[in-house]
Amino acid sequence: MGDYVKLSSRWTSMSSSLKFLMVVIVLILLSGFVFILGPVSTFWVPLSYRHWVWRADVTSSATAPTTASSATTSTTDSSLRVQAGTSPRNPDFFPRVVVDGHPTEIEQPLPNDALTFNPSSSPLLASQITPQPNEKPQEDLIIASMNESAGVAPSLITKMPKEHSSLERLEAGLARARAAIREAARNWNQTLTDADYVPQGPMYWKPRAFHRSYLAMEKQFKVFVYEEGEPPLFHNGPCKSIYSMEGTFIHRMEMDSQFRTRDPEKAHVFFLPFSVVMMVRFVYVPNSHDTGPIRETILDYVDIISTKYPFWNRSLGADHFMLACHDWGPMSSTFVPHLYKNSIRALCNANTSEGFNPSKDVSFPEIHLKTGLTNGLVGGPSASRRPILAFFAGGKHGTIRLLLLEHWKNKDEDVQVFEYLPRNMSYEEKMRKSKFCLCPSGYEVASPRIVEAIYAGCVPVLISDHYVPPFSEILNWKTFSVEVRVAEIPNLKRILMDISSRQYIKMQRRLIQVRRHFELHSPPERFDVYNMILHSVWLRRLNVRIRDS
């Protein structure tokens, strides 16, 4: 009791300024303990979804994401689950994320303007990368944030060395890559050297930027492939069908020694190795119109990896990618809202009317491999040795082909359109003898005829209203192909006849030059279709910044 009286008298005798100082010291100590013991979270910031990966002009003022369980998806016991037994969904599976200070529900549809794509007005290239105000070394960012919160002038703060996390080192490397690509786009006097290939010509939106980006990808890009899941649904896919690119990419990604990493802490992106083709073959009940089993399989898989690893939840899937060439590929991604809205979806059916977003999704070519190889498919005569103006042969799949057959089937010797090619005619030889090959969309926008035409040296005529051609962020398709709106099908011959011989020769030469980007090799070769798909994923990853908070 006597000690308490002494303390009380001492406190009473203190000056008010000394009392205030002691209170401040206590508060500072408490704040320090809270900061040290408090939770650490991460969040991701899209640099720009309305424009393009190269354009990093959106400054983030985002706070850490608020993870809250939304309406949980009901599940039923099923033998089709990825793991035996059932478990509750990860509570962080459907969180909310704060981007630029605005909470965004993942379930909301993409904005309409994000679904439009106009290469002529927005060529998706490095000239659009603009430095972010916050794109500085990590030490500067940390000290700047301390200054702002404490109201202290930067000159009064001494920079202290900081041990960077693996994520910070990854993001710093990406920031350097963005800066190098911007510089390559601006410096037109730069001399490009490459032992294999130097991109140049009007077929590329920005050849120097593309080349610099490709070299940066080769130097630092790393992909982690989740090992969970069993064949045939996972780590497997067809290599001898119209959907061959799905299985081919999965197999080559699994065997990749250059880009694949076994250490997820070193990965820039994470690959979900499921095959939609295999799910349709082994999980879907034919003619049932019930996609529930496929839905449950994908939901369970994402649930497993998001529970076992921290990487899905820290970015809400923004640094993850899937790949599908099946018609149901786009639909399968909608079963997981984050996968649809945030993740990189590499799709053959790049249909903007069905939610394909060129700012974050990848369009890659559909290649029909009957034998698993391209032997004998690549090559054709010169422009002067092609007597047929235009050629098409195919069934009545979709309204566009119906219109094409109605207007041109067996009606013109110059525009040769067949529903079924006579047995005495060779489909490949017809392509090699034609100047232009008609590539109308079927039930879906993608068509293997585009690559077949490129292989044969036949200038493709793309007939579709919502299709984003493969690698459009790099390639200027208007320089080596013809784009025709569906409404212009009756005027096809006039449109093609208006292209002069000189212009056609230029288009065909450009087509042959870019053909390397659509060729398939085993093992993969630089700038081929496998590496171009990875490069497209690399570009989308440059458009996302993930930060420790």
Side-chain angles (χ1 to χ4, degrees), residues 363-388:
S363 173
F364 71 98
E366 186 173 289
I367 303 178
H368 187 189
L369 295 181
K370 298 177 182 178
T371 64
L373 302 172
T374 60
N375 295 345
L377 300 179
V378 180
S382 63
S384 61
R385 297 167 57 194
R386 294 176 178 264
I388 303 172

Side-chain angles (χ1 to χ4, degrees), residues 117 119 205 459-464 467-469 472 475-486 488 492 495-496 499 507:
F117 174 62
W205 290 113
V459 174
V461 179
L462 310 183
I463 308 176
S464 179
Y467 180 50
V468 178
S472 294
L475 300 177
N476 182 0
W477 278 77
K478 291 184 178 180
T479 63
F480 59 87
S481 70
V482 180
E483 297 178 358
V484 176
R485 294 183 296 109
V486 175
E488 292 293 326
L492 259 176
I495 293 172
L496 299 179
I499 299 174
M507 294 177 71

Side-chain angles (χ1 to χ4, degrees), residues 165-457:
S165 68
S166 58
L167 178 59
E168 289 173 330
R169 289 193 292 270
L170 283 176
E171 292 297 330
L174 293 176
R176 289 192 295 270
R178 285 192 290 267
I181 295 166
R182 286 196 299 265
E183 177 61 26
R186 289 193 296 261
N187 187 5
W188 288 97
N189 295 323
Q190 182 184 31
T191 302
L192 299 179
T193 58
D194 196 306
D196 292 332
Y197 180 67
V198 177
Q200 56 186 341
M203 307 82 67
Y204 303 97
W205 290 113
K206 296 287 182 181
R208 288 172 175 78
F210 166 48
H211 192 236
R212 187 65 188 85
S213 174
Y214 190 91
L215 294 177
M217 176 194 74
E218 289 183 315
K219 182 179 180 180
Q220 64 187 100
F221 192 40
K222 294 299 177 184
V223 180
F224 180 77
V225 182
Y226 286 109
E227 296 183 358
E228 285 68 27
E230 297 293 335
L233 305 185
F234 302 89
H235 309 284
N236 188 27
C239 294
K240 297 180 181 180
S241 73
I242 195 173
Y243 306 122
S244 61
M245 278 308 300
E246 191 170 307
T248 298
F249 182 88
I250 292 174
H251 289 304
R252 296 192 178 176
M253 188 76 259
E254 297 271 352
M255 296 185 295
D256 196 298
S257 60
Q258 178 180 4
F259 295 107
R260 184 180 180 183
T261 177
R262 302 285 179 172
D263 184 357
E265 296 291 343
K266 297 180 180 179
H268 298 90
V269 296
F270 300 80
F271 179 46
L272 305 172
F274 60 80
S275 169
V276 177
V277 176
M278 291 303 183
M279 291 183 188
V280 174
R281 182 181 301 177
F282 293 104
V283 174
Y284 173 72
V285 178
N287 302 318
S288 67
H289 306 290
D290 179 16
T291 58
I294 297 177
R295 175 181 179 275
E296 285 300 311
T297 303
I298 297 176
L299 273 171
D300 283 348
Y301 189 74
V302 177
D303 192 21
I304 287 170
I305 63 155
S306 64
T307 302
K308 184 175 180 179
Y309 302 93
F311 309 107
W312 176 274
N313 289 330
R314 80 176 181 184
S315 68
L316 303 180
D319 55 354
H320 288 59
F321 79 99
M322 60 165 282
L323 181 139
C325 210
H326 194 276
D327 295 352
W328 290 2
M331 177 196 64
S332 66
S333 67
T334 63
F335 298 144
V336 180
H338 292 344
L339 183 60
Y340 171 78
K341 186 173 183 181
N342 299 338
S343 299
I344 302 167
R345 302 180 304 156
L347 303 171
C348 285
N349 281 300
N351 189 342
T352 57
S353 68
E354 295 180 357
F356 183 87
N357 181 358
S359 295
K360 75 171 190 67
D361 297 329
V362 171
S363 173
F364 71 98
E366 186 173 289
I367 303 178
H368 187 189
L369 295 181
K370 298 177 182 178
T371 64
L373 302 172
T374 60
N375 295 345
L377 300 179
V378 180
S382 63
S384 61
R385 297 167 57 194
R386 294 176 178 264
I388 303 172
L389 177 65
F391 165 73
F392 169 81
K396 297 178 179 179
H397 297 161
T399 57
I400 296 178
R401 292 193 190 178
L402 286 174
L403 287 173
L404 180 65
L405 291 168
E406 177 185 346
H407 284 280
W408 295 103
K409 178 182 175 182
N410 300 327
K411 292 184 179 180
D412 196 296
E413 284 297 320
D414 294 325
V415 181
Q416 298 188 12
V417 174
F418 302 86
E419 182 177 357
Y420 297 105
L421 200 63
R423 292 187 178 181
N424 61 343
M425 293 185 183
S426 167
Y427 180 79
E428 291 77 13
E429 282 302 313
K430 277 287 186 182
M431 280 196 159
R432 291 189 181 98
K433 291 181 179 179
S434 300
K435 290 183 173 65
F436 299 95
C437 289
L438 308 182
C439 305
S441 295
Y443 290 122
E444 299 294 340
V445 293
S447 171
R449 285 171 180 79
I450 297 174
V451 174
E452 290 170 349
I454 293 174
Y455 284 178

